[in-house]
Amino acid sequence: MPTPAEEADIAPSPVLTRYGSGNETYALLVWRRFRRSPMGMIGLVLVVLMLVVSVFADFFAPMDPKQANLPFAPPDVIAFEDPDGNFSLIPYVYPIGDTGEFDPVTFQPLTGLIKDDPTPTGFFVTGHSYYLFWFIPANIHFFGSVDGRPIQLLGTDKFGRDILSRGIIGSRISLMIALAVVTLTTIVGTLVGITSGYIGGRLDSWVQRFVDFVLAFPQLPLYLALTSLIPVTAPSNVFLSFVIFVMAVLGWAQLSREVRSKTLSLARIDYVRAAIAVGATDSRIITRHILPNVLSHIIVSITLAIPSVVLLESFLGFLGFAVKPPLISWGLMLQDTGTFSVIGSYPWILSPVIFVLVTVFAFNALGDGLRDAIDPY
């Protein structure tokens, strides 16, 4: 048995805990919980990729979105084999066309890969000219044909324009509209909700009656009525600004109601009452005690509101009330799908739906992951 002196010399072994990593900030705790969510991480990666692609859209677009080729051309096929059938590390693009053969029953011409003259592809190739960040001239593209021939990986529309390139360029407008609308609605909704919930009294009653009116108003007829007030000859930036303004005016009320309810509960917490008792000003109480506790809910609301705006812009663009040519957006591209006969004959014109679905899924997955990480209980 060790003596008392020997026991005193024995240093206690450190206790290894699951979360023993020292002092951590609230942001690090949220990130540690968020990265355990597989769907949340997938959504984060997709959102980052979409933002990068939208910022450098001209670089990632393989074709000029305004270049007209064969109308309603089917999507080309990428294959890692040369015309002789041997494996090749450099992919080739094979167009789909008539093979010269006929169906033995219906005698209809059969379509398939045309391997006579494939288009070699590569990365960081030279293509059409564009301006990076609107003032730096460039002509390098991430992916495209080596010899300058057109490639249509998602086919072409009724004017012969590449759908993939137009979808990549259109992401810039669609995401810009969504981010601008959500930014305006977040600022207005947060200010109105915190002010109404903290001050209370007669001001809160009048503000909430106005919020009830905005929430009860039928939004779709108002969208169509307000956007139709802009003349067709108006500049594109004016029409786009007016669309963003209309969406923001009608979209702030729900967030303000949510922020008001959380402000009412936070205003009665002990540390807020203690700050009032020691003479803290209202601005300090709102900025130092109430707003940080409401911020987590606002962040989640932002990530969940962006998909709704993207869907609304796509719907209004399909009806022709969101974006006007020569601007490109996903909703404007969906106007080509207005007839069932066109969809049945050329189903690839539904490709812009893929961009909308991926965007909505990415932001919803990111929002769900943030909601579970910020408020795990």
Side-chain angles (χ1 to χ4, degrees):
M1 298 295 292
T3 61
E6 293 175 346
E7 291 181 352
D9 295 335
I10 299 175
S13 59
V15 178
L16 299 178
T17 61
R18 184 179 179 183
Y19 305 111
S21 58
N23 295 328
E24 293 184 347
T25 62
Y26 176 71
L28 291 177
L29 292 175
V30 171
W31 166 247
R32 189 172 63 188
R33 287 193 294 261
F34 176 78
R35 66 187 181 186
R36 295 176 190 162
S37 173
M39 296 303 297
M41 292 300 297
I42 292 174
L44 177 62
V45 172
L46 290 177
V47 168
V48 172
L49 289 178
M50 284 189 300
L51 294 178
V52 172
V53 170
S54 63
V55 172
F56 303 97
D58 296 302
F59 170 71
F60 287 100
M63 294 285 298
D64 186 356
K66 299 179 182 179
Q67 180 181 350
N69 296 298
L70 182 64
F72 291 122
D76 297 332
V77 177
I78 292 182
F80 289 89
E81 62 178 19
D82 56 16
D84 298 330
N86 301 321
F87 177 76
S88 175
L89 293 177
I90 301 176
Y92 287 85
V93 172
Y94 293 94
I96 297 179
D98 293 335
T99 60
E101 300 179 356
F102 296 89
D103 187 273
V105 178
T106 62
F107 296 100
Q108 295 291 329
L110 298 177
T111 59
L113 297 181
I114 301 177
K115 296 186 177 182
D116 297 336
D117 188 17
T119 302
T121 61
F123 293 96
F124 303 101
V125 298
T126 303
H128 66 279
S129 301
Y130 61 92
Y131 286 93
L132 189 64
F133 299 115
W134 295 279
F135 64 92
I136 302 177
N139 60 355
I140 303 299
H141 298 268
F142 178 72
F143 178 80
S145 61
V146 177
D147 53 4
R149 285 187 289 179
I151 57 174
Q152 296 97 19
L153 301 182
L154 294 180
T156 60
D157 59 6
K158 61 182 179 181
F159 295 110
R161 300 169 299 188
D162 182 39
I163 294 179
L164 176 60
S165 300
R166 290 179 62 82
I168 294 175
I169 299 296
S171 65
R172 180 180 295 170
I173 298 296
S174 297
L175 292 179
M176 187 271 292
I177 292 176
L179 294 177
V181 171
V182 171
T183 300
L184 293 176
T185 56
T186 301
I187 294 175
V188 176
T190 302
L191 291 177
V192 173
I194 289 182
T195 304
S196 176
Y198 181 75
I199 296 178
R202 188 179 298 274
L203 175 65
D204 181 42
S205 299
W206 283 104
V207 170
Q208 293 311 307
R209 299 297 74 77
F210 181 72
V211 172
D212 292 337
F213 172 77
V214 175
L215 292 175
F217 201 90
Q219 296 188 1
L220 181 58
L222 187 59
Y223 282 128
L224 303 181
L226 293 179
T227 52
S228 61
L229 295 177
I230 298 295
V232 181
T233 58
S236 299
N237 55 354
V238 174
F239 191 89
L240 188 61
S241 301
F242 186 77
V243 170
I244 294 174
F245 173 76
V246 171
M247 290 185 180
V249 167
L250 299 178
W252 61 270
Q254 182 62 38
L255 180 61
S256 68
R257 178 64 59 84
E258 297 172 0
V259 172
R260 171 186 174 271
S261 63
K262 296 186 71 69
T263 303
L264 289 175
S265 61
L266 291 172
R268 293 172 174 81
I269 296 181
D270 293 337
Y271 59 81
V272 175
R273 293 181 177 273
I276 296 175
V278 298
T281 61
D282 293 339
S283 60
R284 179 178 177 82
I285 294 174
I286 292 175
T287 56
R288 297 296 300 272
H289 299 290
I290 296 180
L291 183 59
N293 289 279
V294 180
L295 193 61
S296 60
H297 179 80
I298 295 174
I299 294 174
V300 175
S301 299
I302 290 174
T303 57
L304 295 179
I306 291 177
S308 301
V309 180
V310 171
L311 290 174
L312 179 60
E313 186 276 329
S314 301
F315 175 69
L316 294 177
F318 174 76
L319 297 178
F321 292 98
V323 176
K324 299 292 184 181
L327 297 179
I328 305 172
S329 71
W330 296 334
L332 186 63
M333 294 175 62
L334 289 174
Q335 286 185 356
D336 295 337
T337 63
T339 58
F340 292 103
S341 59
V342 174
I343 297 176
S345 302
Y346 316 108
W348 54 85
I349 64 173
L350 288 172
S351 300
V353 177
I354 300 176
F355 299 106
V356 178
L357 290 177
V358 172
T359 303
V360 172
F361 167 77
F363 279 100
N364 279 332
L366 177 62
D368 290 339
L370 283 176
R371 180 177 57 192
D372 297 337
I374 291 175
D375 189 8
Y377 306 105

